[in-house]
Amino acid sequence: MNKLIKAIDERLKITELYNKYLAGYMVPENLNFWYSMGSVLLVMFSIQIITGILLLMYYIPSVEKAFESVTFITNKVPMGWLIRRVHAVAANLFVFVLFLHMFSTLIMGSYKKPREIHWITGFLLFGLVLVEALSGYLLPWSQLSYWATTVATNFPGAFPFIGDWLVYLIRGGEKVTQLTLGRFFSVHVSLVPFTIFILIAIHIFVMRRTGISYPPGTDETKIKKIPFFPHFVLEDLKVIYLFLALMFVIVFFFPQFVLPKDALIPADPLSTPEHIKPEWYFLANYQFLKLIPNEFLGIFLQMIIALLIFLLPFIDRTPERRIWKRPVFFTIVVLGIIFYIILTVWGYIS
Amino acid sequence: MDEKNKRRSFLKNLALWIIGGTTALFASPIFFYLLPKKEKKKLNLFTDANGNPIPENAVEEGSYKIGLSEEGPTIVIRREGSLFAFSAVCTHLGCIVKWLPEREEFLCPCHAGRFDANGAVISGPPPAPLKRYSVEITPEGLIVLS
């Protein structure tokens, strides 16, 4: 075996790559918990790809068969219930950890020069993950998926002139039908995952080119460095296991969090269930739209906020990264997060 | 081995065991998921194309019925009061054979392969006899093949 490995290495120089990019890649020793969020996201993405491929083996993207096929996976296929629950829970955790990742980047000012491209690709990834979550929501063709999608795909209709056309384009028709399911399925299993994969590759590439950011306030000339592998990878693993534990607690003890009652009833286009609400990560946007009397104005304001966040590295150009030296920015971020949490809770209980 | 190396190798082994255990833990449900559940052995009923069982009294003396069994297209004939069942698939190129009661033989319409009442080849290109099944009748009068 050793001989074979040696022979392969002699030809492909794998050890050289390992020494250069893993063991020889030095990172600051004071990287904290928040620096492991990227690795947790990579693990969540891998879980989604693996469980997604497994679900695809039995899922049928047809309005007559979709719910039946998902029920079959849950009740008949060995371990099918587990694969499905893990897919649903990991999707929610994926969004949650993305929030944490972006939050820590904001607080630590890691989006600043020379890491503007990291922020831009990260923001695009965030948007794509939300599209992925929304498109996957429809696939089981349950009451929850059908009506949540009907409501969500109605919003673009508020745009003047092109609103109706946009809704028609997204749904593939006037209403949510087989045509909608077909395009959501295609977007969910091919278009968006591939794009996410490419953007992750770019995100990691630019991160390696600029090097990982130092925690704010670190004296770069004095700080000791540690090898990325195995030292920092082990630190990453601790955080990854923490989130895996959280995932399995929800999978085994609180599955109703991701699969409520309406998710267990087949879609009925003639009967809307009571209190239909979007997933938790869209609740703030949903409540915001309810508060603004004009629907278009509500969407427009949210787009402006998203654009400002997207362009943040070009708006906030001061090199200072320590949060206690940026009181105005800190206040805006904290107020923004409090506002977001209030809207989310309000949307949940209203 | 000095103290530092002992500790290092212990930690290395611990990490490998944890990662290996996690991989095995993740791989086992996937393995079972990929392995289709074995269905409980059902009666191999003789049915029509829609899966409805054909009762034994539907096959009259001297006549035949073509239907389905677990193994595919099947032909059941009645001769001298008894039922006989064969695979209806010609062993030449897979066409469906017919029963000719007046000649008491099977004929494949594709290349005129002929089989006697026991399924043996009489003439034509078929390389092997028709597969024969034993027939049982359930208390409800349904035809079970094995």
Side-chain angles (χ1 to χ4, degrees), chain A residues 20 30 33 40 48 64 83 95 103 116 133 148 151 171 186 196 204 222-223 234 237 256 270 313 322 330 337:
Chain A
K20 195 171 172 192
N30 64 339
F33 169 84
V40 176
Q48 289 307 82
E64 283 97 25
I83 305 290
V95 178
F103 169 72
E116 298 94 329
V151 174
R171 290 181 178 170
S186 153
I196 288 179
I204 293 174
K222 288 186 183 157
I223 190 77
L234 282 174
L237 276 176
Q256 70 278 15
L270 300 177
R322 287 167 296 181
F330 182 62
I337 290 169

Side-chain angles (χ1 to χ4, degrees), chain B residues 39-132:
Chain B
E39 292 207 354
K40 277 183 193 157
K41 189 92 179 143
K42 281 195 235 157
L43 286 179
N44 184 12
L45 285 176
F46 181 57
T47 68
D48 64 16
N50 298 320
N52 303 314
I54 299 174
E56 59 112 8
N57 56 17
V59 190
E60 290 169 4
E61 182 61 36
S63 77
Y64 70 98
K65 286 271 180 216
I66 293 186
L68 292 172
S69 69
E70 263 178 13
E71 302 206 23
T74 302
I75 186 164
V76 172
I77 60 173
R78 190 184 287 276
R79 284 172 66 220
E80 296 160 7
S82 303
L83 290 177
F84 299 91
F86 298 87
S87 164
V89 181
C90 176
T91 52
H92 177 216
L93 291 174
C95 298
I96 301 296
V97 297
K98 287 177 183 173
W99 171 246
L100 305 178
E102 64 284 3
R103 290 202 205 164
E104 293 225 316
E105 63 182 48
F106 296 97
L107 173 72
C108 176
C110 289
H111 302 96
R114 289 165 61 215
F115 304 86
D116 69 15
N118 294 315
V121 180
I122 302 171
S123 67
L130 293 174
K131 191 172 177 188
R132 186 171 174 169

Side-chain angles (χ1 to χ4, degrees), chain A residues 185-202:
Chain A
F185 175 68
S186 153
V187 162
H188 187 74
V189 304
S190 63
L191 180 65
V192 175
F194 279 118
T195 318
I196 288 179
F197 185 79
I198 292 166
L199 274 174
I200 288 176
I202 297 172

Side-chain angles (χ1 to χ4, degrees), chain A residues 171-184:
Chain A
R171 290 181 178 170
E174 302 282 348
K175 292 194 166 56
V176 175
T177 60
Q178 173 66 53
L179 296 169
T180 323
L181 183 63
R183 58 186 60 205
F184 273 46

